[in-house]
mmCIF file of all heavy atoms in Angstrom:
data_model
loop_
_atom_site.group_PDB
_atom_site.id
_atom_site.type_symbol
_atom_site.label_atom_id
_atom_site.label_comp_id
_atom_site.label_asym_id
_atom_site.label_seq_id
_atom_site.Cartn_x
_atom_site.Cartn_y
_atom_site.Cartn_z
ATOM 1 N N ALA A 337 -88.300 40.143 13.536
ATOM 2 C CA ALA A 337 -89.242 40.608 12.509
ATOM 3 C C ALA A 337 -90.286 41.536 13.130
ATOM 4 O O ALA A 337 -90.625 42.583 12.569
ATOM 5 C CB ALA A 337 -89.914 39.409 11.840
ATOM 6 N N SER A 338 -90.781 41.174 14.302
ATOM 7 C CA SER A 338 -91.810 41.997 14.942
ATOM 8 C C SER A 338 -91.255 43.359 15.335
ATOM 9 O O SER A 338 -91.877 44.398 15.085
ATOM 10 C CB SER A 338 -92.358 41.271 16.177
ATOM 11 O OG SER A 338 -93.301 42.089 16.823
ATOM 12 N N ILE A 339 -90.065 43.389 15.931
ATOM 13 C CA ILE A 339 -89.479 44.684 16.337
ATOM 14 C C ILE A 339 -89.204 45.537 15.096
ATOM 15 O O ILE A 339 -89.534 46.732 15.061
ATOM 16 C CB ILE A 339 -88.195 44.474 17.164
ATOM 17 C CG1 ILE A 339 -88.535 43.837 18.513
ATOM 18 C CG2 ILE A 339 -87.464 45.807 17.377
ATOM 19 C CD1 ILE A 339 -87.344 43.432 19.357
ATOM 20 N N SER A 340 -88.642 44.910 14.062
ATOM 21 C CA SER A 340 -88.308 45.682 12.860
ATOM 22 C C SER A 340 -89.560 46.259 12.217
ATOM 23 O O SER A 340 -89.526 47.363 11.650
ATOM 24 C CB SER A 340 -87.567 44.799 11.852
ATOM 25 O OG SER A 340 -86.384 44.317 12.445
ATOM 26 N N ALA A 341 -90.687 45.517 12.308
ATOM 27 C CA ALA A 341 -91.931 46.015 11.712
ATOM 28 C C ALA A 341 -92.513 47.172 12.518
ATOM 29 O O ALA A 341 -93.192 48.042 11.973
ATOM 30 C CB ALA A 341 -92.949 44.876 11.627
ATOM 31 N N ARG A 342 -92.254 47.208 13.804
ATOM 32 C CA ARG A 342 -92.895 48.213 14.662
ATOM 33 C C ARG A 342 -92.014 49.436 14.913
ATOM 34 O O ARG A 342 -92.525 50.504 15.259
ATOM 35 C CB ARG A 342 -93.253 47.603 16.023
ATOM 36 C CG ARG A 342 -94.229 46.459 15.935
ATOM 37 C CD ARG A 342 -94.685 46.073 17.303
ATOM 38 N NE ARG A 342 -95.482 47.129 17.897
ATOM 39 C CZ ARG A 342 -96.788 47.262 17.717
ATOM 40 N NH1 ARG A 342 -97.445 46.419 16.951
ATOM 41 N NH2 ARG A 342 -97.434 48.251 18.287
ATOM 42 N N VAL A 343 -90.689 49.244 14.839
ATOM 43 C CA VAL A 343 -89.760 50.335 15.164
ATOM 44 C C VAL A 343 -88.960 50.672 13.899
ATOM 45 O O VAL A 343 -87.999 49.974 13.563
ATOM 46 C CB VAL A 343 -88.796 49.921 16.300
ATOM 47 C CG1 VAL A 343 -87.861 51.075 16.648
ATOM 48 C CG2 VAL A 343 -89.563 49.444 17.528
ATOM 49 N N PRO A 344 -89.350 51.743 13.202
ATOM 50 C CA PRO A 344 -88.650 52.076 11.959
ATOM 51 C C PRO A 344 -87.158 52.313 12.227
ATOM 52 O O PRO A 344 -86.798 52.998 13.179
ATOM 53 C CB PRO A 344 -89.326 53.378 11.504
ATOM 54 C CG PRO A 344 -90.617 53.434 12.254
ATOM 55 C CD PRO A 344 -90.427 52.672 13.526
ATOM 56 N N GLY A 345 -86.306 51.663 11.443
ATOM 57 C CA GLY A 345 -84.863 51.862 11.574
ATOM 58 C C GLY A 345 -84.239 51.151 12.764
ATOM 59 O O GLY A 345 -83.087 51.445 13.114
ATOM 60 N N ALA A 346 -84.986 50.239 13.374
ATOM 61 C CA ALA A 346 -84.449 49.550 14.561
ATOM 62 C C ALA A 346 -83.149 48.841 14.226
ATOM 63 O O ALA A 346 -83.011 48.220 13.171
ATOM 64 C CB ALA A 346 -85.466 48.535 15.082
ATOM 65 N N SER A 347 -82.191 48.932 15.155
ATOM 66 C CA SER A 347 -80.939 48.196 15.025
ATOM 67 C C SER A 347 -81.016 47.035 16.011
ATOM 68 O O SER A 347 -80.738 47.202 17.200
ATOM 69 C CB SER A 347 -79.760 49.121 15.349
ATOM 70 O OG SER A 347 -78.575 48.359 15.459
ATOM 71 N N VAL A 348 -81.441 45.900 15.524
ATOM 72 C CA VAL A 348 -81.687 44.770 16.423
ATOM 73 C C VAL A 348 -81.204 43.484 15.775
ATOM 74 O O VAL A 348 -81.348 43.293 14.565
ATOM 75 C CB VAL A 348 -83.198 44.719 16.802
ATOM 76 C CG1 VAL A 348 -84.082 44.472 15.607
ATOM 77 C CG2 VAL A 348 -83.473 43.702 17.889
ATOM 78 N N ARG A 349 -80.542 42.644 16.563
ATOM 79 C CA ARG A 349 -80.059 41.367 16.067
ATOM 80 C C ARG A 349 -80.112 40.375 17.217
ATOM 81 O O ARG A 349 -80.452 40.749 18.346
ATOM 82 C CB ARG A 349 -78.655 41.495 15.466
ATOM 83 C CG ARG A 349 -77.625 41.990 16.430
ATOM 84 C CD ARG A 349 -76.374 42.489 15.702
ATOM 85 N NE ARG A 349 -75.496 43.176 16.608
ATOM 86 C CZ ARG A 349 -74.571 42.595 17.365
ATOM 87 N NH1 ARG A 349 -74.389 41.271 17.301
ATOM 88 N NH2 ARG A 349 -73.810 43.286 18.175
ATOM 89 N N ALA A 350 -79.748 39.134 16.901
ATOM 90 C CA ALA A 350 -79.858 38.094 17.933
ATOM 91 C C ALA A 350 -78.583 37.274 17.991
ATOM 92 O O ALA A 350 -77.889 37.114 16.979
ATOM 93 C CB ALA A 350 -81.042 37.184 17.633
ATOM 94 N N VAL A 351 -78.266 36.779 19.183
ATOM 95 C CA VAL A 351 -77.211 35.775 19.324
ATOM 96 C C VAL A 351 -77.808 34.573 20.029
ATOM 97 O O VAL A 351 -78.770 34.695 20.802
ATOM 98 C CB VAL A 351 -75.983 36.279 20.129
ATOM 99 C CG1 VAL A 351 -75.289 37.403 19.412
ATOM 100 C CG2 VAL A 351 -76.368 36.660 21.551
ATOM 101 N N ARG A 352 -77.205 33.419 19.758
ATOM 102 C CA ARG A 352 -77.671 32.206 20.406
ATOM 103 C C ARG A 352 -77.115 32.173 21.832
ATOM 104 O O ARG A 352 -75.907 32.321 22.049
ATOM 105 C CB ARG A 352 -77.179 31.000 19.624
ATOM 106 C CG ARG A 352 -77.860 29.752 20.057
ATOM 107 C CD ARG A 352 -77.609 28.650 19.048
ATOM 108 N NE ARG A 352 -78.527 27.568 19.313
ATOM 109 C CZ ARG A 352 -78.922 26.695 18.426
ATOM 110 N NH1 ARG A 352 -78.497 26.797 17.180
ATOM 111 N NH2 ARG A 352 -79.733 25.734 18.745
ATOM 112 N N LEU A 353 -78.014 31.971 22.800
ATOM 113 C CA LEU A 353 -77.615 32.013 24.206
ATOM 114 C C LEU A 353 -78.468 31.019 24.974
ATOM 115 O O LEU A 353 -79.689 31.169 25.041
ATOM 116 C CB LEU A 353 -77.854 33.431 24.753
ATOM 117 C CG LEU A 353 -77.565 33.638 26.236
ATOM 118 C CD1 LEU A 353 -76.059 33.722 26.467
ATOM 119 C CD2 LEU A 353 -78.227 34.908 26.736
ATOM 120 N N ASP A 354 -77.828 29.999 25.532
ATOM 121 C CA ASP A 354 -78.559 29.041 26.362
ATOM 122 C C ASP A 354 -77.966 29.071 27.760
ATOM 123 O O ASP A 354 -76.879 28.550 28.009
ATOM 124 C CB ASP A 354 -78.470 27.630 25.771
ATOM 125 C CG ASP A 354 -79.322 26.648 26.564
ATOM 126 O OD1 ASP A 354 -79.851 27.029 27.641
ATOM 127 O OD2 ASP A 354 -79.472 25.494 26.104
ATOM 128 N N LEU A 355 -78.708 29.674 28.681
ATOM 129 C CA LEU A 355 -78.207 29.850 30.046
ATOM 130 C C LEU A 355 -78.087 28.540 30.804
ATOM 131 O O LEU A 355 -77.407 28.477 31.830
ATOM 132 C CB LEU A 355 -79.133 30.808 30.803
ATOM 133 C CG LEU A 355 -79.088 32.237 30.285
ATOM 134 C CD1 LEU A 355 -80.331 32.999 30.702
ATOM 135 C CD2 LEU A 355 -77.835 32.950 30.778
ATOM 136 N N ALA A 356 -78.768 27.508 30.310
ATOM 137 C CA ALA A 356 -78.699 26.210 30.976
ATOM 138 C C ALA A 356 -77.455 25.430 30.554
ATOM 139 O O ALA A 356 -77.233 24.322 31.032
ATOM 140 C CB ALA A 356 -79.956 25.404 30.666
ATOM 141 N N ASP A 357 -76.664 26.002 29.664
ATOM 142 C CA ASP A 357 -75.475 25.338 29.132
ATOM 143 C C ASP A 357 -74.260 26.219 29.471
ATOM 144 O O ASP A 357 -73.806 27.014 28.654
ATOM 145 C CB ASP A 357 -75.650 25.174 27.615
ATOM 146 C CG ASP A 357 -74.476 24.453 26.963
ATOM 147 O OD1 ASP A 357 -73.551 24.019 27.674
ATOM 148 O OD2 ASP A 357 -74.496 24.339 25.719
ATOM 149 N N LEU A 358 -73.746 26.060 30.681
ATOM 150 C CA LEU A 358 -72.697 26.968 31.159
ATOM 151 C C LEU A 358 -71.456 26.989 30.253
ATOM 152 O O LEU A 358 -70.926 28.075 29.981
ATOM 153 C CB LEU A 358 -72.307 26.624 32.603
ATOM 154 C CG LEU A 358 -73.402 26.812 33.665
ATOM 155 C CD1 LEU A 358 -72.871 26.410 35.048
ATOM 156 C CD2 LEU A 358 -73.909 28.238 33.699
ATOM 157 N N PRO A 359 -70.988 25.835 29.769
ATOM 158 C CA PRO A 359 -69.772 25.884 28.952
ATOM 159 C C PRO A 359 -69.940 26.655 27.637
ATOM 160 O O PRO A 359 -68.953 27.029 27.009
ATOM 161 C CB PRO A 359 -69.460 24.400 28.673
ATOM 162 C CG PRO A 359 -70.168 23.646 29.749
ATOM 163 C CD PRO A 359 -71.402 24.450 30.049
ATOM 164 N N SER A 360 -71.202 26.882 27.212
ATOM 165 C CA SER A 360 -71.419 27.570 25.928
ATOM 166 C C SER A 360 -71.378 29.094 26.069
ATOM 167 O O SER A 360 -71.386 29.812 25.062
ATOM 168 C CB SER A 360 -72.791 27.179 25.346
ATOM 169 O OG SER A 360 -73.835 27.766 26.117
ATOM 170 N N LEU A 361 -71.353 29.605 27.296
ATOM 171 C CA LEU A 361 -71.604 31.038 27.470
ATOM 172 C C LEU A 361 -70.436 31.919 27.019
ATOM 173 O O LEU A 361 -70.644 33.023 26.512
ATOM 174 C CB LEU A 361 -71.977 31.343 28.931
ATOM 175 C CG LEU A 361 -73.298 30.677 29.368
ATOM 176 C CD1 LEU A 361 -73.585 30.971 30.835
ATOM 177 C CD2 LEU A 361 -74.468 31.147 28.503
ATOM 178 N N GLU A 362 -69.218 31.433 27.187
ATOM 179 C CA GLU A 362 -68.066 32.232 26.746
ATOM 180 C C GLU A 362 -68.151 32.481 25.234
ATOM 181 O O GLU A 362 -67.968 33.609 24.759
ATOM 182 C CB GLU A 362 -66.757 31.524 27.108
ATOM 183 C CG GLU A 362 -65.541 32.364 26.740
ATOM 184 C CD GLU A 362 -64.218 31.671 27.064
ATOM 185 O OE1 GLU A 362 -64.232 30.482 27.463
ATOM 186 O OE2 GLU A 362 -63.164 32.320 26.911
ATOM 187 N N ALA A 363 -68.466 31.409 24.480
ATOM 188 C CA ALA A 363 -68.569 31.563 23.020
ATOM 189 C C ALA A 363 -69.767 32.435 22.648
ATOM 190 O O ALA A 363 -69.704 33.215 21.685
ATOM 191 C CB ALA A 363 -68.690 30.189 22.363
ATOM 192 N N ALA A 364 -70.851 32.340 23.418
ATOM 193 C CA ALA A 364 -72.022 33.190 23.138
ATOM 194 C C ALA A 364 -71.636 34.661 23.265
ATOM 195 O O ALA A 364 -72.042 35.495 22.449
ATOM 196 C CB ALA A 364 -73.161 32.841 24.098
ATOM 197 N N VAL A 365 -70.849 34.981 24.273
ATOM 198 C CA VAL A 365 -70.423 36.371 24.458
ATOM 199 C C VAL A 365 -69.501 36.801 23.310
ATOM 200 O O VAL A 365 -69.620 37.917 22.793
ATOM 201 C CB VAL A 365 -69.756 36.549 25.846
ATOM 202 C CG1 VAL A 365 -69.034 37.883 25.950
ATOM 203 C CG2 VAL A 365 -70.812 36.420 26.938
ATOM 204 N N ARG A 366 -68.618 35.900 22.890
ATOM 205 C CA ARG A 366 -67.747 36.251 21.746
ATOM 206 C C ARG A 366 -68.585 36.563 20.508
ATOM 207 O O ARG A 366 -68.270 37.435 19.722
ATOM 208 C CB ARG A 366 -66.784 35.109 21.449
ATOM 209 C CG ARG A 366 -65.464 35.233 22.198
ATOM 210 C CD ARG A 366 -64.352 34.438 21.501
ATOM 211 N NE ARG A 366 -64.716 33.061 21.225
ATOM 212 C CZ ARG A 366 -64.597 32.069 22.097
ATOM 213 N NH1 ARG A 366 -64.107 32.309 23.290
ATOM 214 N NH2 ARG A 366 -64.964 30.837 21.787
ATOM 215 N N SER A 367 -69.708 35.823 20.359
ATOM 216 C CA SER A 367 -70.531 36.002 19.154
ATOM 217 C C SER A 367 -71.278 37.340 19.148
ATOM 218 O O SER A 367 -71.915 37.682 18.154
ATOM 219 C CB SER A 367 -71.513 34.840 18.991
ATOM 220 O OG SER A 367 -72.554 34.951 19.927
ATOM 221 N N LEU A 368 -71.216 38.081 20.245
ATOM 222 C CA LEU A 368 -71.843 39.408 20.265
ATOM 223 C C LEU A 368 -71.160 40.351 19.281
ATOM 224 O O LEU A 368 -71.774 41.309 18.795
ATOM 225 C CB LEU A 368 -71.750 40.023 21.665
ATOM 226 C CG LEU A 368 -72.692 39.477 22.729
ATOM 227 C CD1 LEU A 368 -72.311 40.029 24.099
ATOM 228 C CD2 LEU A 368 -74.135 39.838 22.396
ATOM 229 N N GLU A 369 -69.882 40.096 19.037
ATOM 230 C CA GLU A 369 -69.113 40.908 18.087
ATOM 231 C C GLU A 369 -69.284 42.403 18.317
ATOM 232 O O GLU A 369 -69.636 43.163 17.415
ATOM 233 C CB GLU A 369 -69.480 40.528 16.645
ATOM 234 C CG GLU A 369 -68.984 39.137 16.311
ATOM 235 C CD GLU A 369 -69.301 38.697 14.910
ATOM 236 O OE1 GLU A 369 -70.084 39.385 14.232
ATOM 237 O OE2 GLU A 369 -68.749 37.664 14.494
ATOM 238 N N THR A 370 -69.092 42.797 19.564
ATOM 239 C CA THR A 370 -69.098 44.218 19.900
ATOM 240 C C THR A 370 -67.881 44.469 20.781
ATOM 241 O O THR A 370 -67.386 43.540 21.427
ATOM 242 C CB THR A 370 -70.397 44.612 20.636
ATOM 243 O OG1 THR A 370 -70.368 45.999 20.951
ATOM 244 C CG2 THR A 370 -70.603 43.823 21.926
#
Side-chain angles (χ1 to χ4, degrees):
S338 177
I339 292 173
S340 300
R342 299 189 67 86
V343 181
S347 170
V348 63
R349 60 197 170 86
V351 296
R352 192 166 194 155
L353 177 76
D354 185 352
L355 292 160
D357 182 3
L358 296 179
S360 71
L361 296 178
E362 183 181 7
V365 167
R366 269 202 308 275
S367 74
L368 285 171
E369 291 180 349
T370 180

